[in-house]
Amino acid sequence: MDQTRIARAALSRLFEPLDPMGTLLVEAFGPEQALRIACGGAGSDEVAEISAVLDPAGDTRKRSQAVAPLGTLPAALERWRPRVAQLAPERDLETIARFGGRLVTPEDDEWPPGLEDLGAESPLCLWVRGEEPLPTTGQSAAVVGSRDATGYGLSVSGDIARGLVDVGVTVVSGGAYGIDGQAHRAALTSSGPSVPTVAVLAGGVDRYYPSGHEDLLREVARRGHLVSELPPGASPSKHRFLKRNRLIAAMSAVTVVVEARWRSGALSTARRAVELGRHVAAVPGSVYSANSAGCHRLLRDGATCVTEAKEVFELIAPAGEGLAEEPATPARPHDGLSLVDLMVLEALPVRRGSEVEQLAVVAGLSEAEVRSGLGRLSLLGLAERTEGGWRRVRGAA
Amino acid sequence: MDQTRIARAALSRLFEPLDPMGTLLVEAFGPEQALRIACGGAGSDEVAEISAVLDPAGDTRKRSQAVAPLGTLPAALERWRPRVAQLAPERDLETIARFGGRLVTPEDDEWPPGLEDLGAESPLCLWVRGEEPLPTTGQSAAVVGSRDATGYGLSVSGDIARGLVDVGVTVVSGGAYGIDGQAHRAALTSSGPSVPTVAVLAGGVDRYYPSGHEDLLREVARRGHLVSELPPGASPSKHRFLKRNRLIAAMSAVTVVVEARWRSGALSTARRAVELGRHVAAVPGSVYSANSAGCHRLLRDGATCVTEAKEVFELIAPAGEGLAEEPATPARPHDGLSLVDLMVLEALPVRRGSEVEQLAVVAGLSEAEVRSGLGRLSLLGLAERTEGGWRRVRGAA
C-alpha cells in the first residue's frame, strides 16, 4: 500500500479538519513527513528548526485566514499526542473496504477537481462509500437548507433535486433533516443518467447521522456516495459540521439554498461557495416566512433567484442546451397589432356601433387611418360592421 | 392666462400621449407654434418647409425610439384634424378648477423633476387634483402589480405602502384593482408627514376608473393627488395605460413590483424604471404562484429583492437613516466562544461525565487546552464537574 495514502488516512484521524498547524506541516513537508513529525518523531532540535521554518511571520505561502496558525508546533504536538496511540490507518482502510468504500486522495484521478480551489483548506483525503467514481464538480449542484423546513421548502427542494438528476446533474447535500434529506430522497427517485446524489457528512461514513436518516443514507451509499474527510467511526460535532460545509460548496458548480433562516448553516455553505467563485442561487418564498428570510438575504446580496431545476441548470451550463424557456402563455388576439390598429381597436365600442368620423376623434387618428385599420381588424376577426356602424367583435380582445 | 399653458392644455387633448409627429413639433417650435401648425394654421408652403426641417433622416436631436416618426406631417395633420373642432382648453381648465385641480406644466416649480429624465417622452403637461404641491421624485416610491392579486400580494403591498408613508415616502401607483388599489388604500391609513399617495391615471382625473375604485380615487384626490397627462373627460384605453406607466416610473425614485405574472403591465413600468436609471425592486413569493413569476423574472434580471418597507426606503436613501436592521435573534450560549472552547464543549458528553484525558482524544486537543477550556466553560455555566467527570450543562447549548 502506498505510504502517502496511509499517511493521509492516519492524519485524517490525528488532525481535526483544518487543524492550522497540521495544515502547515502537510503543506511544508508532505503527508508522510508530517505524520512522522506530528507523532512525535522529531527531536527537540528538529522541532525548533521546523518551528523556525513554519514561523507564520515569515510565511509567504498562500493560506486563508481559517488556517491561520493556532499556537506553536510544540503546543500542537501536545494537542495531537492524546490521539497518537489510537492511530491505526490500516484498520481504518479495512473498515472502509468492509463498507464497500475506499479512500480517495488528491493523487487519485477521481479526486473532485473543485476541491483544488480550496487551496490550503483542501481536505487531506476523502473517505468514500459508493461504487461509481465521484462525480465531477462541473456536473454537481448543492441543494441545501434548513433542518426545520416547511412543506413549501420540502416541496421545492424535491422538485429541484429531481429535475436536476433528470438532466444528469448530481445533487450534493449534507444528509441533514429537512431540505438536505428531501433533496437526497428526491434525487434517488429520479432515474437520470448520472450518480444521483452525494451526501457529505460531518462524521465517519459508517455513522448514520442523524439516526432518523439511517435508511436514507444507506440508500445514498448504495446508489450514490457518502463522503467525509473524517475516518470511519468519527462522530459529527458542531465544528466539524461548519467545516464540512466548505466541501459541499467546493464539490458543486452551484449551491442552491432552498430555505434558510436569517442565521443558518446553509448560509455558511453559500458564503463558502461565493469565496470559491461558485454560483450561488436562492429560492424565493413568502416574505412572512422566517424560513425564507435567509434566502431573501442571499438574493439581496447578489445570489441568483431560481424557481425550478432548469434555472439551476442554466447556471451550470450557461451556453448549453436546456436553457430555461419562457413559460408558454396563450397568444392574445391583439398581440402583434400595429400601434395604429391597436388605437383603432381601443376606440371601437363593444355594443352599439360607431362611424369612422367618430372613431377618428376618439382614437386621435385621421379618418383614412381609421378606415385602413378597420379593414385589417375585420380581416383578423376583431372588428365588425353593423347597421349602427363599426364595433368590436365580442370576446375577441 | 399664459398662452403657453393654454397651448399645452389644448395639445394634451389634440395629441395622443407620445404622438410622434406631435412630439417633434413641440420640440422644434414650442407649444404655441406647435398648436398653430397642428390645427392647420400653416399653409402648404410652410408645411413643406417644416417637413424638411423635421426630416427624421437629418434629425440629430435626442429622441427615443418610441417617438420615432410615424408618417409625415401632412399625414399627421389629417390625424389631428377630426379633433381640432373640439378643442376648448379654457373650458378644460375651468373643469379641472371645478374639481379642485390645476394644470401643472414644465414651467412650474412643482413639475416633478424626475419627468425631465423622460426627455422627448416627457408629458406636455399634467392635469392634477389635490391641494398640496406634487411630491418630489426623490421622496416617492411606485408600488405596482397585478390586478388579480392574491391575498399574499394584497397583504405585502399594504404592509410596504403603509411602512413607506410612515417614514415620509409618497406611494405612487396606477389606481387599478389589486396591488395598485391596495397600495393607495394602505397609504391612506398612515398618518405620515407627507402626501400619502398619488394615482397616475390613464384617463382624465375626473373619470374614476375602474368604477369600483370611485370612492378610493375620490379619497386619493382629497388627501393625495390624481394625476394624468390627459385632459378632463378623456377615457382610459389600453395604449394610454401602457404610456401612462412611464409616468409612474419617472415620478418615483424606485419602482416596487409586488406581484406580477410572467407577462404583466407592471413589468412594463419596471422596464421603464430601468431605462430611466431608477431602482427596481421586486417582492419574492412562492415559486408555485403564477402571480409571483413576473417578480422572480425581475429578480433574475437584476431587480433588488425587497421584503419590507425598510428595504425599499434603503434604496431611496442608501446612506441615510432608517436602514434595514438585522432581525434580532436571541444570542446563543456558545456565541463568541473561541474555537478551542467550542471544540471542548462539543466533546463534552451530556449525561455521564468524561475525564480530561478522554476529552482530549475526542476533541483533538492537548490535555492542557482541555483543562483551560473546561475552566472557561464552567465559568460560563456551560460545563460542570460531576463524580464521573466533566459533562455539559443541560439546556445550555
Side-chain angles (χ1 to χ4, degrees):
Chain A
M1 169 62 87
D2 180 347
Q3 290 305 308
T4 303
R5 296 177 74 76
I6 292 176
R8 286 188 181 276
L11 290 171
S12 77
R13 183 175 293 284
L14 188 61
F15 298 158
E16 281 300 304
L18 299 185
D19 181 291
M21 187 57 74
T23 303
L24 282 179
L25 276 187
V26 174
E27 267 196 304
F29 303 103
E32 288 172 72
Q33 288 305 310
L35 181 63
R36 181 183 63 82
I37 298 162
C39 289
S44 56
D45 285 359
E46 195 186 354
V47 167
E49 199 177 311
I50 294 167
S51 292
V53 170
L54 296 184
D55 177 13
D59 182 13
T60 55
R61 274 157 309 160
K62 174 180 148 248
R63 278 183 294 109
S64 81
Q65 290 207 316
V67 293
L70 177 73
T72 61
L73 179 57
L77 290 171
E78 279 302 299
R79 182 163 72 237
W80 299 326
R81 194 148 53 100
R83 282 184 180 170
V84 170
Q86 302 191 346
L87 293 184
E90 286 89 350
R91 194 189 59 203
D92 288 338
L93 288 164
E94 279 166 31
T95 303
I96 191 74
R98 205 165 57 242
F99 279 95
R102 62 193 179 280
L103 186 76
V104 177
T105 71
E107 293 79 21
D108 296 325
D109 286 343
E110 67 170 315
W111 185 252
L115 292 176
E116 306 289 342
D117 297 338
L118 287 168
E121 298 195 346
S122 187
L124 292 161
C125 58
L126 292 178
W127 299 86
V128 175
R129 286 173 67 180
E131 290 176 10
E132 301 286 323
L134 285 172
T136 66
T137 307
Q139 69 184 55
S140 302
V143 177
V144 297
S146 305
R147 284 190 296 271
D148 65 336
T150 67
Y152 170 70
L154 294 175
S155 183
V156 181
S157 51
D159 287 349
I160 288 182
R162 206 163 18 242
L164 286 171
V165 179
D166 284 346
V167 294
V169 174
T170 299
V171 170
V172 178
S173 195
Y177 287 132
I179 302 299
D180 287 22
Q182 186 71 359
H184 292 306
R185 207 172 281 117
L188 290 169
T189 66
S190 168
S191 51
S194 56
V195 171
T197 190
V198 173
V200 185
L201 304 181
V205 292
D206 57 334
R207 302 273 303 239
Y208 302 107
Y209 184 90
S211 57
H213 274 177
E214 174 166 345
D215 289 349
L216 174 62
L217 293 174
R218 281 185 193 279
E219 188 64 11
V220 172
R222 204 173 68 77
R223 296 188 37 217
H225 294 289
L226 295 183
V227 171
S228 178
E229 64 181 314
L230 289 142
S235 63
S237 62
K238 187 169 183 66
H239 81 94
R240 288 176 179 169
F241 274 107
L242 289 173
K243 289 166 183 166
R244 182 274 317 264
N245 291 343
R246 83 190 194 286
L247 303 184
I248 294 177
M251 289 174 69
S252 308
V254 53
T255 291
V256 182
V257 181
V258 179
E259 273 194 329
R261 291 176 171 268
W262 188 262
R263 287 173 67 158
S264 160
L267 298 187
S268 97
T269 309
R271 269 192 296 272
R272 296 310 301 255
V274 170
E275 289 166 10
L276 293 166
R278 301 285 199 278
H279 295 289
V280 174
V283 172
S286 167
V287 303
Y288 300 120
S289 168
N291 275 58
S292 287
C295 290
H296 298 152
R297 181 182 192 175
L298 284 174
L299 290 175
R300 289 173 59 74
D301 288 346
T304 303
C305 176
V306 292
T307 65
E308 53 176 4
K310 269 186 179 176
E311 293 171 346
V312 178
F313 185 64
E314 203 181 320
L315 293 173
I316 299 180
E321 58 199 285
L323 294 181
E325 286 157 26
E326 291 210 1
T329 45
R332 290 182 294 190
H334 51 254
D335 280 355
L337 286 188
S338 72
L339 182 60
V340 167
D341 291 0
L342 190 60
M343 289 164 82
V344 174
L345 182 67
E346 291 291 327
L348 279 174
V350 177
R351 276 173 290 193
R352 272 183 300 180
S354 182
E355 292 302 341
V356 169
E357 298 71 30
Q358 179 58 22
L359 289 172
V361 172
V362 171
L365 294 169
S366 70
E367 294 180 9
E369 285 171 322
V370 169
R371 265 186 220 101
S372 64
L374 286 170
R376 288 185 295 270
L377 291 174
S378 68
L379 279 177
L380 293 168
L382 297 173
E384 63 185 355
R385 181 154 194 88
T386 65
E387 285 182 21
W390 287 89
R391 70 176 181 190
R392 199 182 291 212
V393 174
R394 276 160 192 273
Chain B
M1 170 61 89
D2 179 349
Q3 291 305 308
T4 303
R5 298 177 73 78
I6 293 176
R8 288 188 180 275
L11 290 172
S12 76
R13 183 174 292 283
L14 189 60
F15 298 158
E16 282 299 304
L18 298 185
D19 181 292
M21 186 58 73
T23 303
L24 280 179
L25 277 186
V26 175
E27 267 198 305
F29 303 103
E32 288 173 72
Q33 288 304 311
L35 181 63
R36 180 184 63 84
I37 299 162
C39 288
S44 56
D45 286 357
E46 195 185 354
V47 167
E49 199 177 312
I50 294 168
S51 292
V53 170
L54 297 184
D55 177 13
D59 183 12
T60 55
R61 275 157 308 158
K62 174 179 149 251
R63 278 182 292 108
S64 81
Q65 290 206 316
V67 293
L70 177 75
T72 61
L73 178 57
L77 290 170
E78 280 301 297
R79 181 163 74 238
W80 299 326
R81 193 146 52 99
R83 283 185 178 169
V84 170
Q86 302 191 348
L87 294 184
E90 286 88 352
R91 193 189 57 204
D92 288 337
L93 289 164
E94 280 166 32
T95 303
I96 192 72
R98 205 164 57 242
F99 279 94
R102 63 193 179 281
L103 186 75
V104 177
T105 72
E107 292 79 22
D108 295 326
D109 287 342
E110 66 169 317
W111 185 251
L115 293 175
E116 305 290 341
D117 296 337
L118 287 168
E121 298 194 345
S122 187
L124 291 160
C125 57
L126 292 178
W127 299 86
V128 175
R129 286 174 67 181
E131 289 177 11
E132 300 288 321
L134 286 171
T136 66
T137 306
Q139 69 185 55
S140 302
V143 177
V144 298
S146 306
R147 285 190 296 272
D148 64 336
T150 66
Y152 170 70
L154 294 175
S155 183
V156 182
S157 51
D159 287 349
I160 287 182
R162 205 164 18 242
L164 286 171
V165 179
D166 283 346
V167 294
V169 174
T170 299
V171 170
V172 179
S173 195
Y177 288 131
I179 301 298
D180 288 20
Q182 185 71 0
H184 293 305
R185 206 173 282 118
L188 291 169
T189 67
S190 168
S191 51
S194 57
V195 170
T197 190
V198 173
V200 186
L201 304 180
V205 292
D206 57 333
R207 303 272 302 237
Y208 303 106
Y209 183 90
S211 57
H213 274 177
E214 175 165 346
D215 288 348
L216 174 62
L217 294 174
R218 281 186 192 280
E219 188 66 10
V220 171
R222 202 174 69 78
R223 296 188 36 216
H225 294 289
L226 296 182
V227 170
S228 178
E229 63 181 316
L230 288 143
S235 63
S237 62
K238 186 171 183 65
H239 79 95
R240 288 176 178 168
F241 274 107
L242 289 174
K243 288 166 182 165
R244 181 276 314 263
N245 291 343
R246 81 189 195 288
L247 304 184
I248 293 177
M251 289 173 69
S252 309
V254 53
T255 291
V256 182
V257 182
V258 179
E259 273 195 328
R261 292 179 168 266
W262 188 261
R263 288 175 66 157
S264 161
L267 298 188
S268 96
T269 308
R271 270 191 295 272
R272 297 310 302 256
V274 170
E275 289 166 10
L276 292 166
R278 300 286 198 278
H279 295 289
V280 175
V283 172
S286 167
V287 302
Y288 300 119
S289 169
N291 276 56
S292 287
C295 290
H296 298 153
R297 182 183 192 173
L298 285 174
L299 290 176
R300 289 173 60 74
D301 289 346
T304 302
C305 176
V306 292
T307 64
E308 55 176 4
K310 269 186 179 176
E311 293 172 345
V312 178
F313 185 64
E314 202 181 321
L315 292 173
I316 299 180
E321 58 200 283
L323 295 181
E325 285 156 26
E326 291 211 1
T329 47
R332 289 182 296 192
H334 51 255
D335 281 355
L337 287 189
S338 73
L339 181 60
V340 166
D341 291 358
L342 191 60
M343 288 163 83
V344 174
L345 182 67
E346 291 291 325
L348 279 174
V350 176
R351 275 174 291 193
R352 273 183 300 180
S354 183
E355 292 302 340
V356 170
E357 298 71 30
Q358 179 59 20
L359 289 172
V361 172
V362 172
L365 294 170
S366 70
E367 293 181 10
E369 283 170 323
V370 169
R371 264 186 221 100
S372 64
L374 287 171
R376 287 185 294 269
L377 291 173
S378 69
L379 280 176
L380 293 167
L382 297 172
E384 62 185 355
R385 180 153 194 89
T386 65
E387 285 182 20
W390 287 89
R391 70 177 182 191
R392 200 182 291 212
V393 174
R394 278 160 193 273

